[in-house]
Amino acid sequence: MSDIRVLLVDDQELFREGVRVIVDAQEGMEVVGSAGDGLEAVSLVDELEPDVVLMDIRMPEMDGVEATRQIFQPDRVSRRASPVRVIVLTTFNLDDRAATAIRHGASGFLLKDTTPQMLRDAIRTVHSGNAVLAPTDLSTLLDSQFRAVSPPPAAYLSLTDKEREVFAAVARGLSNTEIAALVFAGESTVKTHVGAILRKLGLRDRVQIVVFAHQHGLVGL
């Protein structure tokens, strides 16, 4: 299995180099590049095709929110051979900018004073398609973003009853093991359902299912 390729994005060189030492010391990870602002980050994502981007939220030229939005523009996503995941780095817990970045495609956020172990675990977690913050925190962030919701699109109505059941469980932040027990199915079957949901709704990962659910008022169904 190849190493997880990580891109570091922060306007403070000293911080970037400190994170580089931590990431390169982890088994199965390597830093493939670094950027000092969002403009450079977007360019390097296209050039280096990292697996995970550690993205500072506040930077000159272009901040992490706009850089995340551009990284996940459909035309860029369609050109990639493999998905890229973004972890937003912030100094404030439940940062509204972080919530906006998650809406644009980020897989969650970490505080900049996190521990090396938490950073390592977060990189592995988002690389597997999951969020790096608790479902309750994610819901709190997104609730403030979607005070007005839009009706579910036709694609949601095409889900089978079982897929909707799995969708609701994923939107609540349940793991595949927890969902399997809830719907009386094996974990492999749950993974198949999740894959079908992502494909039908045109979503990238489980985090985007949570965003979709909040956007269309489907939380708690």
Side-chain angles (χ1 to χ4, degrees):
M1 185 175 180
S2 58
D3 288 350
I4 300 174
R5 296 163 50 82
V6 180
L7 176 68
L8 308 178
V9 185
D10 194 281
D11 61 338
Q12 297 181 23
E13 184 177 359
L14 185 61
F15 181 81
R16 292 200 308 270
E17 291 308 307
V19 175
R20 179 190 293 274
V21 170
I22 292 171
V23 174
D24 280 340
Q26 308 303 318
E27 183 177 357
M29 295 181 191
E30 65 169 330
V31 174
V32 295
S34 65
D37 60 62
L39 279 171
E40 188 180 9
V42 174
S43 176
L44 286 180
V45 168
D46 290 341
E47 177 186 342
L48 301 176
E49 297 188 350
D51 300 308
V52 176
V53 180
L54 300 179
M55 178 78 75
D56 186 21
I57 203 77
R58 289 175 169 82
M59 295 179 292
E61 302 297 333
M62 180 189 290
D63 67 14
V65 175
E66 175 60 18
T68 299
R69 187 190 71 80
Q70 292 197 20
I71 286 169
F72 289 109
Q73 285 178 330
D75 61 327
R76 281 195 164 94
V77 172
S78 66
R79 292 197 299 265
R80 293 184 188 124
S82 59
V84 60
R85 316 289 186 188
V86 172
I87 302 174
V88 171
L89 302 176
T90 178
T91 54
F92 302 101
N93 197 18
L94 299 182
D95 189 333
D96 190 59
R97 290 193 186 187
T100 304
I102 290 171
R103 284 183 59 186
H104 289 325
S107 294
F109 73 89
L110 285 175
L111 296 179
K112 295 182 89 170
D113 62 356
T114 191
T115 66
Q117 181 177 355
M118 290 178 65
L119 179 63
R120 176 201 67 197
D121 292 346
I123 291 170
R124 289 178 177 159
T125 297
V126 301
H127 186 244
S128 66
N130 293 308
V132 294
L133 67 165
T136 52
D137 287 342
L138 184 55
S139 291
T140 299
L141 278 172
L142 295 175
D143 282 343
S144 67
Q145 292 275 312
F146 295 113
R147 291 188 174 89
V149 299
S150 56
Y156 175 77
L157 302 179
S158 74
L159 298 182
T160 66
D161 289 343
K162 185 61 70 175
E163 287 167 353
R164 290 192 197 187
E165 193 175 357
V166 172
F167 172 96
V170 173
R172 287 163 47 200
L174 299 187
S175 67
N176 283 346
T177 302
E178 292 169 327
I179 297 172
L182 182 68
V183 302
F184 304 105
E187 286 190 49
S188 60
T189 301
V190 171
K191 290 179 182 178
T192 299
H193 285 313
V194 172
I197 292 166
L198 294 174
R199 184 176 65 256
K200 289 182 179 181
L201 300 183
L203 304 176
R204 288 182 296 277
D205 54 34
R206 298 167 73 97
V207 182
Q208 292 303 297
I209 291 178
V210 180
V211 174
F212 184 97
H214 279 79
Q215 182 178 8
H216 299 293
L218 300 170
V219 180
L221 295 183

